[in-house]
Amino acid sequence: METPRAAGRYRIERLLGSGGFAAVWLGHDAQLDAPVAIKILADHWAQRTDLRERFVQEARLLRSVDSHRLVQVFDIGELPDGRPYFVMSYADKGTLDELLAAGPLPLNDALNLAREIAHGVAALHAHGIVHRDIKPSNVLIRSTDGADRIMIADLGIARTDDRLSSLTLPAGSPGYMAPEQTQIDGAPDRRSDVYGLGALTYHMLTGRPPSENRRLPSEVQPTIPHNIDAVVQRALEPERERRWASAADFAQALSQTLGKVDTDPLPHTRPVPKRPRRRRRLLWTAGGAVAALVLATGGTVWMVTKDDEPAPGASAPKKEHGASMGDPGGRWLRTDRGIPPQYRRLIVRAGTWCEVRGLSPALIAAMLKAESNFDPYLSDPKADEYGIARWTPSVLMHWQPGGSNNPAPRPADITPELSIPAMGRFLCSLGRQIQNVPGDPALNLAGVYRTSVDSVKKARGVPPAYKPYAQKVDQYLKDYRPN
């Protein structure tokens, strides 16, 4: 492919990428002293009037939508050989596809980015445009003001509302295209983009695009809560009538799950030196207009704007009284049984993490009493167990914020603020697998915590070797339950 020297006033420096339809080059705007991306129609298509019009239409559609979540078009023109081109924002950080090559994103990063992308697609829909090719390589990453933003690109096969009823041929990308996009005259509409958003979110959460016989996200990554399964699965429904009705609804559903997902960074009792292993971490700026997602793969700061106005009929996630107030009135736990007051809020938070039979703040408190007598400094190197909940670091790694994308915590890092909420995640995820096991559901949960799901299933309850432990938990449970 011959490198053109310039496109209008823009100097062309090097090829960024190419496909069968067009190539994208890195250019430089000398007047503004700024890098730009220049998309040029492939020379073997330049004589096709219909393809030229489609190429120019892509530029017009991008230009018509005023959103920072979409690639912006600044200029349009023709090369001396007649090939059309248009000039757009340069994504200096590459694509989401390149980011995902390293594996799944941390849970909160994936959800926030999915919500940002959904808002971008909603902006297209508000202008009567259906993208039809939502996939990681069409989500670009650009640094701006010291942070990174996503930009949706490539409207090459997009359709406007006035053309959705016309004959459509199969179009899209395998793994991300809705079933109706694989059919001749399948009449894809905005719900086809919802499917694409669901597939993209699934990929960010699990590290792979969904297949026909896909597993739930939580089955691939155990740290993913089941309410997120429901949001993503609804977007991926084969029948479009059963999907979220719009990208905006999908974004709002993600927002509601974010209210129920722990987004705290890994806590430290003291400053910890940086480790050579690269990791991704999350930082929220509470109460600000912006939430900054910190991906330490390169020290990236993601700027994620707060939600747009809630979708009609949507409500903000409810906060448990006990979780937000530390249970001062004893709604969840007795106040006269020696539960350390500094841990009550964390205990209530863990015990109300989800709805699983047997799970309660009283159970969490009883297990902490049995495990360590509420000793936050417990250290048992022989058993490799540490802290108030007797976590093994290599196990806790999977239940900490960010899951196994973060390294295993050091014993000194296993604080109550990390340990106790992790118990809630653990019991919510694995507890659902023993709901049909006979016996006391609370003690069965305690048995899983000390052994495994398979052991409790095989024993049809708490394994005999752990009965004394379960008996202690049962006694404390009775002490801590409110009257």
Side-chain angles (χ1 to χ4, degrees):
M1 179 184 300
E2 183 179 351
T3 303
R5 290 190 171 187
R9 77 168 196 254
Y10 308 97
R11 183 178 74 247
I12 292 178
E13 298 185 345
R14 61 181 172 87
L15 181 68
L16 293 173
S18 64
F21 186 60
V24 180
W25 302 81
L26 174 62
H28 184 78
D29 184 343
Q31 293 185 20
L32 297 177
D33 190 24
V36 294
I38 304 169
K39 189 168 186 176
I40 303 175
L41 182 64
D43 53 6
H44 55 281
W45 295 121
Q47 305 308 313
R48 285 274 303 269
T49 304
D50 57 334
L51 292 181
R52 289 177 65 94
E53 176 56 32
R54 180 172 130 189
F55 182 85
V56 173
Q57 176 69 2
E58 178 185 359
R60 290 172 178 156
L61 291 177
L62 284 168
R63 182 69 179 178
S64 69
V65 184
D66 184 18
S67 171
H68 65 79
R69 298 182 178 103
L70 270 73
V71 166
Q72 297 295 293
V73 172
F74 308 123
D75 202 354
I76 193 167
E78 282 190 6
L79 297 180
D81 61 12
R83 283 181 291 163
Y85 69 85
F86 58 85
V87 183
M88 53 189 178
S89 316
Y90 170 52
D92 58 320
K93 293 297 186 70
T95 69
L96 180 59
D97 191 45
E98 294 165 359
L99 185 63
L100 288 172
L105 301 183
L107 175 60
N108 7 39
D109 298 8
L111 294 177
N112 276 286
L113 290 178
R115 182 177 60 174
E116 280 291 287
I117 296 164
H119 282 313
V121 173
L124 285 172
H125 291 176
H127 285 75
I129 301 167
V130 178
H131 191 287
R132 299 206 300 163
D133 200 16
I134 306 295
K135 60 181 179 180
S137 60
N138 283 341
V139 178
L140 311 184
I141 304 168
R142 180 190 183 195
S143 59
T144 176
D145 297 327
D148 286 358
R149 292 189 184 276
I150 61 97
M151 300 186 299
I152 298 171
D154 199 346
L155 300 188
I157 63 171
R159 285 217 167 188
T160 52
D161 283 347
D162 59 343
R163 296 186 60 219
L164 287 176
S165 60
S166 61
L167 177 67
T168 56
L169 298 176
S173 297
Y176 305 95
M177 56 197 297
E180 61 269 17
Q181 291 180 257
T182 66
Q183 304 167 10
I184 295 177
D185 207 15
D189 57 22
R190 300 177 189 197
R191 292 166 295 179
S192 304
D193 282 350
V194 171
Y195 185 98
L197 288 168
L200 187 65
T201 305
Y202 187 98
H203 190 166
M204 288 192 287
L205 290 169
T206 67
R208 68 194 74 165
S211 61
E212 186 174 347
N213 299 315
R214 65 182 178 272
R215 292 189 292 162
L216 294 172
S218 65
E219 293 175 347
V220 181
Q221 295 286 342
T223 54
I224 297 174
H226 290 267
N227 60 337
I228 294 171
D229 284 341
V231 173
V232 176
Q233 288 297 101
R234 181 171 173 182
L236 291 172
E237 283 284 354
E239 298 178 21
R240 71 182 88 182
E241 292 79 11
R242 301 180 64 180
R243 295 176 205 150
W244 299 103
S246 68
D249 286 351
F250 180 65
Q252 181 64 17
L254 289 173
S255 296
Q256 291 181 316
T257 65
L258 280 164
K260 302 171 186 176
V261 174
D262 180 36
T263 56
D264 297 332
L266 182 64
H268 296 299
T269 54
R270 62 179 183 275
V272 178
K274 291 184 178 179
R275 302 182 192 180
R277 178 177 175 181
R278 287 164 43 155
R279 59 180 176 174
R280 302 183 181 100
R281 290 190 57 202
L282 173 70
L283 173 68
W284 278 96
T285 55
V290 175
L293 293 177
V294 178
L295 301 179
T297 48
T300 305
V301 179
W302 289 92
M303 297 304 294
V304 181
T305 58
K306 278 196 170 184
D307 280 342
D308 298 337
E309 289 298 316
S315 59
K318 295 180 180 179
K319 291 184 178 179
E320 294 286 357
H321 169 75
S324 60
M325 300 298 293
D327 193 35
R331 173 186 173 189
W332 300 101
L333 299 164
R334 290 281 295 268
T335 59
D336 58 349
R337 288 294 186 268
I339 299 172
Q342 67 267 34
Y343 303 139
R344 291 178 70 92
R345 180 184 62 83
L346 294 169
I347 290 169
V348 171
R349 182 184 184 193
T352 58
W353 201 271
C354 67
E355 293 184 6
V356 165
R357 279 199 318 134
L359 181 62
S360 68
L363 174 65
I364 298 294
M367 290 171 62
L368 291 172
K369 176 71 172 177
E371 295 288 350
S372 70
N373 196 26
F374 299 109
D375 180 4
Y377 304 110
L378 181 142
S379 178
D380 186 351
K382 186 175 180 180
D384 196 23
E385 295 177 344
Y386 305 92
I388 195 170
R390 275 190 171 268
W391 278 107
T392 297
S394 60
V395 176
L396 177 57
M397 175 176 70
H398 298 283
W399 307 102
Q400 66 184 343
S404 56
N405 289 292
N406 282 324
R410 303 179 311 175
D413 299 331
I414 301 179
T415 62
E417 290 76 17
L418 175 62
S419 298
I420 298 174
M423 295 175 72
R425 297 188 199 96
F426 179 94
L427 295 174
C428 280
S429 182
L430 300 187
R432 289 186 171 88
Q433 301 179 42
I434 60 162
Q435 293 295 281
N436 295 324
V437 174
D440 187 314
L443 299 186
N444 287 344
L445 289 175
V448 166
Y449 189 75
R450 272 285 105 196
T451 60
S452 68
V453 168
D454 289 342
S455 296
V456 170
K457 284 183 174 179
K458 185 176 180 180
R460 297 182 63 76
V462 178
Y466 292 90
K467 292 284 189 181
Y469 168 78
Q471 289 168 1
K472 286 200 297 182
V473 170
D474 187 37
Q475 181 57 53
Y476 298 139
L477 187 58
K478 292 173 181 175
D479 289 343
Y480 296 151
R481 278 177 177 149
N483 294 328

